[in-house]
Amino acid sequence: MRTTIVFLTATVLIGGFVAPFHLRAQQAGPEYLELLGIAQRALREKKLRNVVTSGSVQPANRVSSIWAKHRFYRKGETWVVDFTSRESAIMRKSNAPEDQVLAKRRPSAFIFSVIGVEPNNKMARVEVRQKLEKDDVPVDPRIDHLVLHINEIFVVVKQETHFRDGAPAHTVESSSLSNVSTGFSAYPVDLPNINLDEGTTIAELPEELRGEVDPKQALEFRSTDLYGRSLSMIWREGDVWPVYVKSPTGIAVLRTERRD
């Protein structure tokens, strides 16, 4: 019976019925959250199988200059990402122009903190917490913070969701081969595959980066989420997080990075 439920849940997601799935998740108890994790893993593995069979994974010697000059995380370092979300991101399921317009909203700030690094830089744990000032509203009132487990090739292999009401943390594990965007996260946690993708030079900087980033010191990485919607990510040399991500859920901009 459980297999049937999981299959149907994954089918609903693949079919594109994002809003009902997302709304149901907001009212989720432990049993449904477990199904959510199973569905997410199934979708990620399906996406990776499609990538491999289509031959779009590039040979290991075709990597970006960003990857060649990268460094790993250091325990204690922090950075801040401003995230301007779409008005109803879960309802936008296409690349149509009307689905690409961001509502005029004040960005939410998220603090990223490296809380642990394994020996030999095999894995880092990065806490992601929304910075809430007076009168700020949480992007998801259920969530206290996330913890991302990121391996040595900058792939998120596990995500822990910690809840404000003290409920047990929910963990979703994924493939260690490649980052895949689910397309409906309320937190700015999408990462490009800088170990696989060569990236492209930046013809024109987004408005948010003009005067802040030297385009000669950064590359753009393009991909799609699980629903085929476009993502654009810019990574600057020396950083440990994308300086810019435009996704179906909004726009994220790296504002400060501090190395402690």
Side-chain angles (χ1 to χ4, degrees), residues 5-25:
I5 295 173
V6 172
F7 175 78
L8 289 174
T9 305
T11 302
V12 168
L13 271 166
I14 293 170
F17 296 93
V18 186
F21 183 90
H22 188 86
L23 293 174
R24 185 179 171 189

Side-chain angles (χ1 to χ4, degrees), residues 214-231:
D214 181 353
K216 296 179 180 179
Q217 302 297 316
L219 289 175
E220 182 178 14
F221 299 85
R222 291 185 175 273
S223 60
T224 57
D225 67 9
L226 287 172
Y227 308 99
R229 300 173 299 180
S230 298
L231 287 86

Side-chain angles (χ1 to χ4, degrees), residues 26-226:
Q26 290 192 7
Q27 304 169 0
E31 184 175 345
Y32 185 73
L33 287 173
E34 180 183 3
L35 293 178
L36 170 62
I38 293 170
Q40 286 178 328
R41 289 197 299 273
L43 285 167
R44 283 174 180 260
E45 295 301 330
K46 173 182 173 63
K47 179 71 173 181
L48 288 171
R49 286 196 300 271
N50 290 341
V51 168
V52 172
T53 55
S54 68
S56 60
V57 171
Q58 300 185 30
N61 64 338
R62 293 184 63 189
V63 297
S64 68
S65 60
I66 297 296
W67 176 252
K69 298 177 182 179
H70 83 288
R71 70 168 182 84
F72 201 58
Y73 300 101
R74 297 169 184 154
K75 184 177 179 180
E77 68 180 334
T78 65
W79 58 93
V80 176
V81 172
D82 281 349
F83 182 57
T84 305
S85 64
R86 295 184 185 277
E87 188 67 40
S88 301
I90 58 174
M91 299 300 292
R92 290 174 164 84
K93 304 187 286 295
S94 78
N95 282 323
E98 62 270 20
D99 284 346
Q100 301 304 305
V101 178
L102 284 173
K104 297 295 184 182
R105 306 182 70 189
R106 186 164 65 91
S108 301
F110 290 82
I111 301 173
F112 289 67
S113 306
V114 181
I115 59 176
V117 178
E118 291 186 1
N120 301 318
N121 292 337
K122 292 295 184 182
M123 190 77 65
R125 290 182 296 120
V126 179
E127 179 186 276
V128 186
R129 187 183 295 270
Q130 185 180 0
K131 182 180 180 181
L132 294 173
E133 305 290 354
K134 184 180 179 181
D135 299 327
D136 282 347
V137 177
V139 294
D140 189 328
R142 300 166 305 145
I143 297 177
D144 183 70
H145 67 280
L146 307 180
V147 176
L148 309 177
H149 295 245
I150 305 175
N151 67 14
E152 70 272 20
I153 57 174
F154 289 93
V155 172
V156 178
V157 298
K158 182 164 65 174
Q159 176 176 303
E160 301 171 14
T161 301
H162 295 259
F163 299 99
R164 293 180 182 275
D165 63 1
H170 172 57
T171 299
V172 175
E173 297 185 12
S174 57
S175 169
S176 60
L177 302 176
S178 175
N179 289 305
V180 179
S181 173
T182 60
F184 54 80
S185 176
Y187 279 53
V189 294
D190 287 319
L191 281 175
N193 294 302
I194 62 172
N195 64 308
L196 294 173
D197 191 346
E198 288 181 288
T200 59
T201 56
I202 301 169
E204 183 178 2
L205 282 172
E207 180 181 355
E208 294 84 353
L209 301 186
R210 291 171 193 167
E212 302 291 334
V213 173
D214 181 353
K216 296 179 180 179
Q217 302 297 316
L219 289 175
E220 182 178 14
F221 299 85
R222 291 185 175 273
S223 60
T224 57
D225 67 9
L226 287 172

